[in-house]
Each structure stands twice: as structure tokens, then as C-alpha cells.
Amino acid sequence: MSTFGTLTRGQFPSILTETHASPMTQPFWDAAKEDRLVAPKCASCGTFRLPPSPYCFVCRQRDVEWVELPGTGAIYSFTVVRHPLHPDLADACPYVSGVVELDGTQGAGARMLVNIIGCDPDTVKIGDRVAITWEHVNDEMSTPRFRPIPA
Amino acid sequence: MTIKDKAAIVGVGATPYYKRGQSYPESEFSMACSAILSALDDAGLTADDLDGFSIYSNSCDPAAIAAELGVPEVRWATTLTSGGGGCAGALGVAAAAVDAGMATTVVTLMTLQQLSKRLGGSAVGGMLAYALMSESSSPYGGGGIPPSAAFTANNGLLSPGHSFAQIASRHMHLYGTKREHFAEVCISQRENAIKRPTALRTEALTLDDYFNARMISDPLCLFDYTMESDGAVAVITVAADRAKDLRQPPVYIMGSAHGGSGRWGPALFRYFQTPDDEFTSSGHRPVARRVYEMAGITPSDVDVALLYDHFSPMVIMQLEDYGFCPIGEGGPFVADGNIRYKTGTIPVNTHGGNLSEAYIIGMTHVREAVEQLRGTAVNQVEGAEIALVTGGPASLPVSASILRK
Ligand SMILES: [Zn+2]
């Protein structure tokens, strides 16, 4: 067995197993445990920001409301990681990781950088529709991944 | 009022360039001292004259070096924040220091020994360090894993290449840029390196070699990546009026800028907040505008461009961002032979760059710019009078300087 446990090709292992959440990020991780994607939306101007952060980068206000998102989106960019950075990651390669723009948000500023699983590394392309899928790492943490929405 | 032509680079010094880890038993510290002494000597100066450090990426500890070399008094010690993006901009800070009279003789340097570490992070520790990069740069902070890190830690984006591949992919998607275009950057720079005794990669590189190479992180293959190497390079900046009396012909700093768009921000490994029109760029557009404005020139005035080339696609995006071709046309621009030494309209990385000569985090580019303007470069661009040198693309600040003879 590798340093990283049993590996699945195309899936980067969860090397972080605790969220290290703060009060500002806790709602995201609480919802994650229930397979829901929520994001903070600026109470003043409506701009989403992910990861959650203290200030809105548009209006510099702090108050947010947590909004549930559909958890779907489109691949904005991606890479196919073919060379394992650690020998014990060989069985996970190739895997696809990229930038996803989320439906229901303004895009930039609320993008997610994620491992996109269950896709063909040789045909995946920018613009492909994807949906979130949560990996329950343990009782405390669920980590987001995306997978293609069949056309 | 600007620093235009107020200061000049008067000395350059370097250690040999080594393949990664092969500089042992030298150390980063000993190589820094060697490069500085050699740069001072090149200028006809000694450590008794040295009184300033304008560095980037915390390349050295000025305190330790000043003590080691018996520098009588340090009057200026600054570093630009972040990493290699600050390389060319540190020259501007040096120029500002001597122009303001706050120091007289300022060194800018990088020293690098990758004996046990790799910037790309080959060990699990390195991966975690990248995955969990903190938003704080304070050495006094509590450390630990910041809450924002959990949002990216398990996504498999671990090395700089994984990050730059995202930008390259989107450039291909938006503009039709092809791997053949990346190949031309690599092949043209290799051609330049082949003739240089300092270059670490001098075997011929063909298009077939390029396409037969291992893919590392699509669309990047092995040859699209910088090599990792050891060595040190230092340059000395003094006020322009003093430069005339020193040993070497002065290389004047016509313009310098560092920074970038706020929302380019840390860019890499983060959530790519960058607005859509900047995402697919080198992050250099604001810096390009300011450096040309200070120098009072346009891209067509530049005779040779030394563009930071950690990843080949970023050379193409810098060609766009520095106005050598329209946005999105960098691929066809290089394919048409425009960056070739001798035959191109704007020779790029005549020293071979990070891709083929050596990777000393941008300082080899500064050295080459100075040699081109002194007329002593191995691949001398005939009649070169103005050189552009850049640092980054990376986390803000990225930077550029325009130098002239
Ligand atoms: Zn707002």
C-alpha cells in the first residue's frame, strides 16, 4: 500500500483529512457533510466569494448570507497530471484537476479548483459540464470533487 | 519625476551554473558571496564600496553577507515580496535607492542550491507545503494550516507546472494556440543555448524530440518546464553620474516597474479570482504599460527581450502582454520565426533562458541583458541598444526593467 492508502486512477487522494475550519468557513464544511454546496454571498452587493474570506473584493463589506448552489458548473480550465510528483502517487495518475465556474455565481472570485473524477483524460475539454460530488473523507470532513454530467 | 536613466548597472558576477544539487560543497551563502565579489570586481569596486541590497524572493540574508564580506556599513536592505516575479523589479528598487541618495552601491542577486529541495516539490512535504500555502507571509505568524487551504488541499494541484498548465490550456482554448507553438519557444531557446559555454542543456532539440517527450501535466511536456539548477548571479547598480567613471560601459535603467493587477493577486494555487480578461495572460499587462511609459519607448524600440521562462507558454503570453504582437496571437507570432536570434523581429532569450541555459530565478536574464548592451554577448544581437528583462509570471509582484547602453 502506498503512503496515500489505496489509490483510484484519476482520483487524487485526500492528503488533508481535517478542514481546519474557522467560523468563517465552517458553514461550507457543515453543508459538505450533507452533500450540499453552499457559498457566502455578499449581503451588500451579491458577489459570491470562495474560499470564504473576510472582505468582499467588490464592495469591501463583511456581511454575507450563505446560499445553497446547484453544485453544477463548467470546466473553465484544467490539466491532466500524468507524472506523479511522488512515486506513491503513480496509481492515481493520470488525473484531471482544474478550475470550475459555478452555476448561480458570477464566476471569477467564486471558482473552485478541484479534482475532476470519472472523466476521460484524453477527451475532457474546457466548457464541459460538471457536477459536484462529495468524498466523505471521515466524519469530520467531506472534500469536493466534480464529475462530468453526461450529455 | 521618475528614475529614468538615473542609475546604471555597472558590474555583473556569477558562479558557474550547475545541474541541480551539483554545486556542493559550495552553499547558497558561499555562492552569493562569490557572485557579489565578482560583480564588484567587474565594476572596479570592492566590498568596501558596497552599501546596499535590493533583492527579491529573500534570496539572501544581507546581514550575514555584510558580516562575511566585511562591508563597512549597510545603508539599504530591501526585498520585493513574493518570488521570482520580482527579479527585474529589484533593479528598479536599487535605482530608486541610489537616486534618492540612500545608498551608493547596491547589489541585486539570486543564489540557489537545490540539493535537497525542489521548487516543484518532489517530496510529500513539498507537496503539502504547496497545497497548504498560507495567505500570511509573516515569519511571526502562528503557522499551521490556514482555513483557506482546506479548499484546495485535496485537488491534486501541487506544483507550479500544474498551475501554469491551467493558464496554457485556456490560452489554447481561447486562441487556438498549439503545442507546436510552445515547441518553437523551446527549440529556439535551445538553439541559442547550444552555442553557449555556460548552458546546461546543449544537445540539439527537434520537433520530434519535443513531441516524443513525456507529458508531465497536459498541455505541458518535459521540455516546456524550466530545468532546476544551482548557482548565483549578482549585479551592481550605482547612480548614473558615478557609473561613467567605473570600469565597464554603463547599462542604464531606463524604466522599471513591479506589481500587477490586485485581483491577479497570488494567482497560482489559489482560486484564480483573476477576472476573465486577465486569467489567460502572464499577469504582466499593468507592469508592461508602466515600464514602457517610464522608459518613453514602445515595443518596436526593444532590440532584445529576456522574458522569464519557467514554462514555455508564459513566454508566448509575455510577448502578447508586452505588445510584441496582439493578445491571442503569440502562438502564430513565434511560429513565424519572430523570436529567433539573427532572423527574428524580436530575439528572445538569446542566452537560452531557464529552459536551456540555467535557472537562477531570473538573474541569468539580467546578466544576458547587460552583456547584450555591452556588446559582449555570445549570441550578440547586432547593434542592440535597448533590452527588456522581465521577472515572473507568478504571484504579484511581477516585474520588468528596460535597460539601454
Ligand atoms: Zn460586496
Side-chain angles (χ1 to χ4, degrees):
Chain A
M1 198 163 83
S2 82
T3 314
F4 305 101
T6 307
L7 296 177
T8 304
R9 197 164 302 285
Q11 184 163 333
F12 186 79
S14 290
I15 53 178
L16 188 72
T17 56
E18 297 168 12
T19 59
H20 298 267
S22 69
M24 198 167 32
T25 66
Q26 191 66 54
F28 179 95
W29 299 111
D30 288 345
K33 283 194 278 188
E34 301 167 0
D35 291 349
R36 294 185 300 115
L37 173 64
V38 298
K41 180 183 184 184
C42 175
S44 301
C45 77
T47 303
F48 283 93
R49 53 190 202 262
L50 278 175
S53 62
Y55 282 91
C56 171
F57 57 87
V58 174
C59 72
R60 291 100 188 195
Q61 298 299 305
R62 301 193 72 155
D63 289 346
V64 297
E65 53 177 315
W66 284 86
V67 174
E68 183 158 346
L69 295 170
T72 53
I75 297 177
Y76 183 78
S77 198
F78 70 96
T79 185
V80 183
V81 176
R82 297 187 188 269
H83 172 74
L85 269 187
H86 186 285
D88 283 357
L89 286 169
D91 289 345
C93 292
Y95 63 85
V96 175
S97 291
V99 183
V100 170
E101 287 206 337
L102 298 169
D103 294 345
T105 75
Q106 78 282 355
R111 297 180 185 127
M112 291 179 78
L113 269 64
V114 287
N115 179 205
I116 301 161
I117 60 174
C119 65
D120 178 352
D122 294 322
T123 59
V124 62
K125 61 184 188 307
I126 289 173
D128 282 357
R129 299 282 301 157
V130 288
I132 203 162
T133 179
W134 296 94
E135 180 196 327
H136 296 279
V137 178
N138 53 42
D139 288 348
E140 296 307 309
M141 184 184 191
S142 291
T143 209
R145 302 182 194 278
F146 279 72
R147 63 168 71 243
I149 300 173
Chain B
M1 194 195 82
T2 74
I3 55 161
K4 183 185 180 185
D5 297 333
K6 297 288 179 60
I9 298 171
V10 294
V12 180
T15 65
Y17 304 150
Y18 306 87
K19 289 189 170 144
R20 179 168 78 88
Q22 293 188 359
S23 57
Y24 184 82
E26 293 294 333
S27 64
E28 286 189 344
F29 182 69
S30 69
M31 290 192 290
C33 292
S34 302
I36 292 169
L37 289 173
S38 147
L40 287 164
D41 186 56
D42 183 49
L45 299 168
T46 73
D48 287 338
D49 301 298
L50 182 65
D51 63 357
F53 294 80
S54 170
I55 59 172
Y56 61 101
S57 196
N58 289 302
S59 62
C60 69
D61 179 10
I65 289 180
E68 182 74 11
L69 298 184
V71 171
E73 183 181 355
V74 174
R75 300 188 177 93
W76 183 274
T78 56
T79 184
L80 283 179
T81 51
S82 195
C87 177
L91 302 174
V93 177
V98 298
D99 183 46
M102 298 192 64
T104 66
T105 308
V106 179
V107 67
T108 297
L109 80 145
M110 178 50 66
T111 182
L112 188 60
Q113 182 178 60
Q114 303 192 66
L115 194 61
S116 59
K117 67 184 180 190
R118 291 186 73 177
L119 294 174
S122 60
V124 180
M127 288 165 49
L128 277 168
Y130 271 110
L132 307 178
M133 268 166 84
S134 165
E135 63 266 271
S136 166
S137 59
S138 167
Y140 304 108
I145 296 171
S148 62
F151 289 79
T152 51
N154 294 337
N155 68 9
L157 296 171
L158 305 165
S159 72
H162 296 167
S163 235
F164 285 103
Q166 310 283 330
I167 303 177
S169 289
R170 194 156 174 87
H171 200 273
M172 296 169 93
H173 170 78
L174 288 180
Y175 304 121
T177 312
K178 298 186 172 79
R179 288 192 61 216
E180 283 81 353
H181 302 150
F182 304 157
E184 167 59 16
V185 172
C186 304
I187 291 168
S188 67
Q189 292 191 198
R190 179 62 60 86
E191 289 287 311
N192 297 340
I194 284 171
K195 302 160 206 148
R196 289 176 61 80
T198 49
L200 297 178
R201 286 185 184 161
T202 53
E203 61 282 13
L205 176 63
T206 67
L207 199 59
D208 274 352
D209 295 334
Y210 180 88
F211 277 97
N212 288 330
R214 234 162 12 109
M215 295 305 292
I216 305 294
S217 181
D218 293 9
L220 307 178
C221 73
L222 184 66
F223 291 114
D224 295 310
Y225 276 65
T226 177
M227 72 184 96
E228 293 177 327
S229 29
D230 293 3
V233 180
V235 301
I236 305 293
T237 299
V238 306
D241 53 1
R242 182 161 164 247
K244 295 191 295 286
D245 306 324
L246 297 178
R247 187 179 283 165
Q248 298 285 356
V251 169
Y252 295 95
I253 298 170
M254 288 183 87
S256 187
H258 70 263
S261 149
R263 285 187 58 200
W264 175 265
L268 314 176
F269 309 110
R270 297 293 184 88
Y271 261 58
F272 294 97
Q273 272 215 358
T274 321
D276 206 26
D277 60 346
E278 289 172 49
F279 180 95
T280 313
S281 81
S282 67
H284 275 254
R285 284 177 209 162
V287 164
R289 192 183 62 248
R290 278 192 288 128
V291 77
Y292 283 132
E293 186 180 297
M294 183 184 290
I297 65 162
T298 66
S300 63
D301 297 316
V302 177
D303 298 307
V304 55
L306 293 316
L307 305 178
Y308 196 100
D309 57 322
H310 42 13
F311 297 99
S312 62
M314 304 319 290
V315 172
I316 288 174
M317 287 178 236
Q318 287 177 86
L319 287 164
E320 298 172 359
D321 293 347
Y322 281 92
F324 296 108
C325 63
I327 301 296
E329 293 179 22
F333 182 77
V334 300
D336 288 346
N338 281 297
I339 63 172
R340 291 270 174 161
Y341 171 57
K342 288 214 163 159
T343 53
T345 54
I346 177 66
V348 169
N349 294 343
T350 42
H351 55 329
N354 294 328
L355 296 172
S356 282
E357 190 197 32
Y359 174 66
I360 315 291
I361 318 189
M363 283 306 292
T364 58
H365 296 60
V366 176
R367 177 187 185 184
E368 174 70 3
V370 171
E371 290 181 1
Q372 286 286 349
L373 298 174
R374 286 180 179 177
T376 60
V378 172
N379 295 315
Q380 182 64 44
V381 173
E382 210 174 317
E385 294 188 354
I386 294 181
L388 169 70
V389 57
T390 69
S395 176
L396 176 164
V398 298
S399 67
S401 284
I402 292 172
L403 310 179
R404 72 165 174 87
K405 64 190 283 185

